Amino acid sequence: MPVRFLRLLFPILCCCAAAWAHAQPVCDLVLSGRVIDNHDRQPLSYAEVYVPALGKGAVADQEGRFVLAELCPGPLIVRVSHLGCAPVMRTIQLLDDVVMEIKLEHHAEELKEFEVLQQRPDEHVGQANKELDKASMEKDAGRSMGEMLARIPGVSSLQSGPTISKTVIHGLSGNRILTLNQGIRQEDQQWGTEHAPNLDPLSSDRITVVKGAASVQYGSDALGGVIITEPVELPRERGVSGEVRGMGMLNSRGVGGNALLQGGVGGIPGLGWRVQGSGRYLGDSEAPGYVLSNTGVREGGASASVGYRDHRWNASAYYSYFTRDLGILRASHIGNLTDLNNAIESGTPWYVGDFTYAIASPRQQVQHHLIKADGGYAISERDRIVLTYGYQADDRQEYDIRRGGRSDIPALDLFLTTHTADAVLNHWAGKHIHGKVGVSGVYQENVNVPGTGVRPLLPNYRKQSGGVFLLEHLPLSPNVELEAGARIEATQLDVAKYTFDNVLITPQHRFTNSAFTIGANWSVKDSVRLRFNVGSAYRPPHVSELYSEGLHHGAAAIERGDAALSSERSLKGTADLEALWFGGRLRTDLTLYADRIDHYIYLRPDGVELTVRGAFPVFQYVATDVFLYGVDATVQLKLAQHFSLRNRTSLVRGRDLAQDEWLFQMPSDRMENALLFELSQVGKWSAIECAATSQVVFAQSRIPVGLDFTLPPDSYNLIGLSASATRTLGKNEMRIGLQANNLFNTTYRDYMDRFRYYADARGTDLTLWIRYSFGKR
């Protein structure tokens, strides 16, 4: 089988090699110019001009002048930012030396020539954060958001077989990771280890991961970090553009695609709209040697948005719908204790069927609706108030294999509604202090839909919370900026449940929490930047941790809560170094962190129980005090004009301080080594990229003794190849790519896969994708 894949990849790799051999442009071009204010034409001293693709940049002098030398011919994307301005991006066709004048807005007015990339250049002053841009997301087209983000150092995934992936940041996941979907906190039963986020990552063109305690700005659940799917800026000028993308996946024999159409409205400058849709249709995944039966996926999503912006006002409305139907590995549901032991010891699944696209029980069905409305008004040139409202409805059914023809009746049927509201004032008190103050509120209600015939895993509940925060930025000099903030939040949880004696009880829980953050961003020189942050965070226990009682079908486990649990409280420190060395040939990015969490809540294995539905492992929610620490590192060395070597390494350690043992289910050490090839242009083809990767994941040796059901899996090494290129077709563009994962069909199991007890992970996978962009961009 691997030989067939190598034959498919060979022509593309040959093209890459031939292109390099026959096209060696001289990289001696210079881009220079001046950055000025758009209104008074005053120079913007110390503006940053940066080329993301090259990892190369310059800081303007006191007169706003900058120089970037030793550039290659071809298209160049330049990002320009300055304190108090919205960062902008500009595409330049570099055929000769270029001198340019760049105008930036010092307030949120219409930007005619530039695409706004993010709200502020100093949004996360001291926080380590990494961005997954559109190009990186496109390379992983057809994969889930969790699989996309796992390529970032310090980020891994907690899996439940090949169909479900949840993001882990610095060893923390689930309710400790907050996801912002278009600026709204995502609420979709994220407490379950096998509840993947119900959102379409392709509805955004950039995802930012904040790797630190961020409760001050974002509230509870941001204890481990924040995943931000950035809202895409709507067009403001007349014209229609769009893109269509298709993809095919060999493993699972699946297909997928997405389409986008957007434009401005003639006669009404500042008014824009966008519609988008996507879908995936996958059959059973395959491990080396056998089919992973009942692991198909049906997924679809659509969104629409409209917005208006002028010098003072802005308003927008957004709606998205997402649906997913996925199978749970059939071999994870077993009938008795002997079968469980045999499944663990045999190394092969007890059930293997023929490949099929059909999805049978056990399975999950989810539907998620999001409505967002926001508006802003510029009180002055630098002060702005923003109001945001969000409504979400999440409908989840989980189906089990049931006797008496009842497998089509859900064993778990939950309907969750959430209202969120935020009011934020961005204020400017002078060049040495500016920031934001805000209030936020959440109202949430969860209902068990009758008719399951099963005692609910979770009770009905109502949650209300409200908080207020202040976050200030204090630029001390052009090279040093401080950040400090605080937040206080109150939460009330009202629960309604029946005891085993069929008596209705209505317990109530109240939690009051606070958090602070202190950070610094120090540009030591043009090519070296340091970030520091110390911050606290909090998370009230979720109702699942308090009151779970029974079989959680999607996880194939019995889970039990503890109503006496209290809020988690974290104190985390991070230090982040980004630097260019030897004239930009060597790029390093290093993050160190340490995190103390009191009352850390987790599912601890607690034996095995035989029920009328079969034998299942038992997990009990317990609380302890823990200490986590680790390092993320990226090193990239430019070997030659078109070749680079890159290493990404992640190490995390977690200790249970109360038990004096290693913490259960912490990611093992991992690294990725890559040989990269890039060429700006060959004939009509541009942005040519090829990569060969080796991902090494080491066996987890730091585990609590005698706690797990089996020993951690062995180390493994997965080889991957990828290639992509762009072709300009008149005013339009086509980009095509091919990616191979686990090229040599390696047999392995991952410690962070909850179904590793029952089956191997997915084998060789080959994905072919093509994107066509048209219209004004």
Side-chain angles (χ1 to χ4, degrees):
M1 184 180 290
V3 173
R4 180 156 53 106
F5 299 134
L6 286 171
R7 287 175 179 170
L8 289 170
L9 286 169
F10 185 72
I12 290 184
L13 296 177
C14 286
C15 289
C16 291
W20 171 73
H22 292 91
Q24 294 288 326
V26 178
C27 297
D28 60 355
L29 299 182
V30 177
L31 172 65
S32 61
R34 192 164 180 250
V35 184
I36 63 173
D37 186 280
N38 187 46
H39 297 280
D40 57 18
R41 299 188 61 81
Q42 291 298 307
L44 296 180
S45 305
Y46 311 111
E48 182 180 1
V49 182
Y50 183 67
V51 183
L54 304 178
K56 185 174 185 178
V59 176
D61 61 17
Q62 192 169 358
E63 297 300 318
R65 302 186 185 279
F66 68 92
V67 176
L68 281 169
E70 298 181 358
L71 299 176
C72 302
L76 201 66
I77 297 177
V78 180
R79 184 173 66 188
V80 185
S81 61
H82 185 265
L83 183 63
C85 301
V88 299
M89 179 184 245
R90 190 168 182 178
T91 301
I92 303 162
Q93 191 65 34
L94 199 63
L95 301 176
D96 204 342
D97 292 347
V98 172
V99 179
M100 60 190 302
E101 185 177 73
I102 301 175
K103 300 175 183 178
L104 294 185
E105 295 281 348
H106 246 102
H107 50 79
E109 294 190 2
E110 179 181 7
L111 303 180
K112 295 184 179 179
E113 296 185 82
F114 307 123
E115 175 187 358
V116 178
L117 289 186
Q118 57 189 123
Q119 293 180 350
R120 303 184 62 85
D122 53 0
E123 187 68 28
H124 307 289
V125 169
Q127 296 276 19
N129 63 90
K130 293 295 174 284
E131 180 182 290
L132 201 66
D133 60 17
K134 183 177 181 178
S136 300
M137 295 169 63
E138 190 168 56
K139 293 174 185 176
D140 282 320
R143 297 195 171 275
S144 67
M145 186 175 72
E147 292 172 307
M148 289 181 180
L149 297 179
R151 298 188 181 278
I152 298 175
V155 180
S156 55
S157 61
L158 176 62
Q159 293 180 287
S160 296
T163 55
I164 301 171
S165 177
K166 298 198 68 168
T167 299
V168 179
I169 301 176
H170 290 171
L172 301 177
S173 63
N175 281 329
R176 300 182 186 93
I177 305 298
L178 176 64
T179 298
L180 289 182
N181 183 6
Q182 306 297 319
I184 301 295
R185 54 185 300 136
Q186 182 82 358
E187 296 288 347
D188 53 4
Q189 307 286 5
Q190 61 267 29
W191 51 270
T193 55
E194 83 303 345
H195 297 175
N198 296 329
L199 61 86
D200 177 13
L202 295 178
S203 64
S204 175
D205 63 0
R206 187 175 70 258
I207 302 176
T208 300
V209 177
V210 180
K211 298 189 289 185
S215 284
V216 168
Q217 182 166 347
Y218 301 109
S220 65
D221 296 353
L223 187 141
V226 185
I227 301 169
I228 306 171
T229 62
E230 306 279 2
V232 183
E233 190 78 6
L234 290 172
R236 300 182 187 175
E237 296 181 347
R238 183 177 181 180
V240 176
S241 63
E243 64 181 34
V244 179
R245 182 183 291 106
M247 63 205 75
M249 288 75 76
L250 186 63
N251 195 322
S252 74
R253 309 179 199 181
V255 295
N258 80 298
L260 179 148
L261 193 65
Q262 62 182 7
V265 178
I268 311 179
L271 181 63
W273 57 271
R274 175 181 294 110
V275 292
Q276 176 266 344
S278 66
R280 293 193 301 162
Y281 187 92
L282 313 178
D284 289 336
S285 294
E286 297 181 53
Y290 54 82
V291 173
L292 298 169
S293 296
N294 200 47
T295 55
V297 177
R298 312 279 185 273
E299 195 173 272
S303 66
S305 56
V306 61
Y308 172 80
R309 189 183 192 107
D310 64 13
H311 301 316
R312 288 284 183 185
W313 294 93
N314 74 279
S316 68
Y318 175 87
Y319 169 76
S320 69
Y321 170 76
F322 182 84
T323 180
R324 179 190 288 128
D325 186 1
L326 59 83
I328 303 296
L329 179 70
R330 178 67 180 87
S332 67
H333 282 231
I334 46 188
N336 56 60
L337 301 180
T338 301
D339 288 345
L340 175 60
N341 291 328
N342 289 341
I344 292 175
E345 294 173 3
S346 69
T348 57
W350 71 268
Y351 180 89
V352 176
D354 295 333
F355 173 87
T356 179
Y357 288 97
I359 297 176
S361 297
R363 62 188 177 93
Q364 297 179 3
Q365 281 186 333
V366 293
Q367 297 182 69
H368 190 85
H369 301 263
L370 167 64
I371 298 174
K372 171 193 172 184
D374 67 353
Y377 175 71
I379 302 171
S380 66
E381 276 199 1
R382 300 173 190 255
D383 299 327
R384 189 176 194 87
I385 187 168
V386 180
L387 304 177
T388 306
Y389 167 77
Y391 168 80
Q392 296 174 78
D394 190 81
D395 191 8
R396 166 177 290 272
Q397 292 86 37
E398 298 185 7
Y399 297 82
D400 192 16
I401 300 172
R402 306 173 71 177
R403 291 177 290 185
R406 297 186 300 154
S407 295
D408 289 334
I409 299 174
L412 181 69
D413 195 346
L414 299 173
F415 190 77
L416 178 71
T417 57
T418 307
H419 301 264
T420 59
D422 302 272
V424 177
L425 173 64
N426 295 289
H427 59 269
W428 180 279
K431 65 179 182 179
H432 292 302
I433 182 168
H434 59 276
K436 59 179 70 174
V437 59
V439 295
S440 61
V442 176
Y443 177 85
Q444 186 175 81
E445 189 168 352
N446 183 78
V447 175
N448 282 277
V449 179
T452 63
V454 177
R455 182 178 178 85
L457 174 67
L458 295 185
N460 294 342
Y461 69 87
R462 183 182 297 115
K463 185 176 81 169
Q464 304 168 74
S465 66
V468 57
F469 75 92
L470 175 68
L471 189 64
E472 295 294 337
H473 299 279
L474 301 96
L476 301 182
S477 71
N479 297 328
V480 179
E481 182 173 3
L482 302 181
E483 177 188 73
R487 182 186 187 97
I488 186 168
E489 183 171 290
T491 301
Q492 179 174 306
L493 181 64
D494 297 293
V495 177
K497 68 183 296 287
Y498 285 92
T499 67
F500 286 101
D501 297 325
N502 206 31
V503 176
L504 177 65
I505 60 174
T506 56
Q508 186 179 85
H509 300 262
R510 287 190 175 93
F511 307 95
T512 301
N513 292 288
S514 59
F516 74 89
T517 183
I518 300 174
N521 186 347
W522 177 25
S523 297
V524 182
K525 55 181 181 179
D526 291 354
S527 58
V528 180
R529 181 171 66 179
L530 287 167
R531 295 177 185 263
F532 305 95
N533 181 265
V534 175
S536 66
Y538 56 87
R539 185 183 72 87
H542 189 269
V543 69
S544 63
E545 297 162 329
L546 298 170
Y547 292 106
S548 287
E549 49 180 19
L551 177 61
H552 189 181
H553 305 275
I558 294 171
E559 299 175 0
R560 293 174 177 153
D562 182 354
L565 294 173
S566 58
S567 293
E568 293 181 341
R569 299 182 185 277
S570 166
L571 180 63
K572 184 173 184 178
T574 60
D576 187 62
L577 169 66
E578 296 178 358
L580 297 172
W581 313 93
F582 308 112
R585 294 182 63 87
L586 176 66
R587 183 182 184 91
T588 58
D589 189 346
L590 180 69
T591 301
L592 303 174
Y593 61 91
D595 191 3
R596 164 68 186 251
I597 306 176
D598 293 336
H599 307 131
Y600 175 86
I601 303 168
Y602 71 104
L603 278 171
R604 185 179 178 90
D606 191 25
V608 177
E609 184 173 312
L610 181 62
T611 74
V612 294
R613 295 182 182 86
F616 298 94
V618 178
F619 290 84
Q620 173 71 49
Y621 282 105
V622 298
T624 187
D625 296 338
V626 303
F627 182 65
L628 294 92
Y629 57 98
V631 58
D632 313 329
T634 299
V635 179
Q636 185 163 329
L637 175 64
K638 194 173 184 64
L639 299 175
Q641 185 172 329
H642 303 290
F643 287 95
S644 300
L645 277 176
R646 183 186 66 207
N647 172 272
R648 293 170 172 168
T649 300
S650 298
L651 310 176
V652 59
R653 303 289 184 266
R655 293 289 297 179
D656 185 329
L657 301 180
Q659 300 288 336
D660 191 23
E661 62 183 9
W662 294 108
L663 197 58
F664 177 64
Q665 211 167 55
M666 284 287 106
S668 53
D669 298 343
R670 59 196 61 215
M671 69 168 61
E672 180 198 70
N673 298 300
L675 175 63
L676 310 174
F677 171 82
E678 295 180 346
L679 190 60
S680 59
Q681 189 145 5
V682 175
K684 295 183 179 180
W685 291 91
S686 62
I688 301 167
E689 298 179 351
C690 301
T693 61
S694 168
Q695 182 184 14
V696 180
V697 178
F698 297 94
Q700 179 59 282
S701 59
R702 292 161 293 276
I703 59 173
V705 177
L707 181 63
D708 205 351
F709 301 108
T710 184
L711 293 175
D714 295 332
S715 303
Y716 62 87
N717 181 13
L718 304 181
I719 304 300
L721 292 174
S722 65
S724 59
T726 297
R727 177 73 177 265
T728 301
L729 304 172
K731 295 183 178 181
N732 305 325
E733 177 183 277
M734 178 184 70
R735 186 163 182 83
I736 186 170
L738 186 66
Q739 180 165 345
N741 296 302
N742 192 4
L743 186 64
F744 296 112
N745 211 30
T746 300
T747 299
Y748 73 100
R749 300 190 184 195
D750 193 282
Y751 178 68
M752 295 297 287
D753 188 346
R754 289 195 65 178
F755 287 176
R756 62 184 169 86
Y757 307 116
Y758 313 108
D760 295 327
R762 188 164 45 192
T764 300
D765 194 10
L766 187 69
T767 301
L768 174 67
W769 56 267
I770 183 169
R771 184 250 302 161
Y772 179 74
S773 301
F774 58 90
K776 184 177 179 179
R777 298 191 301 276

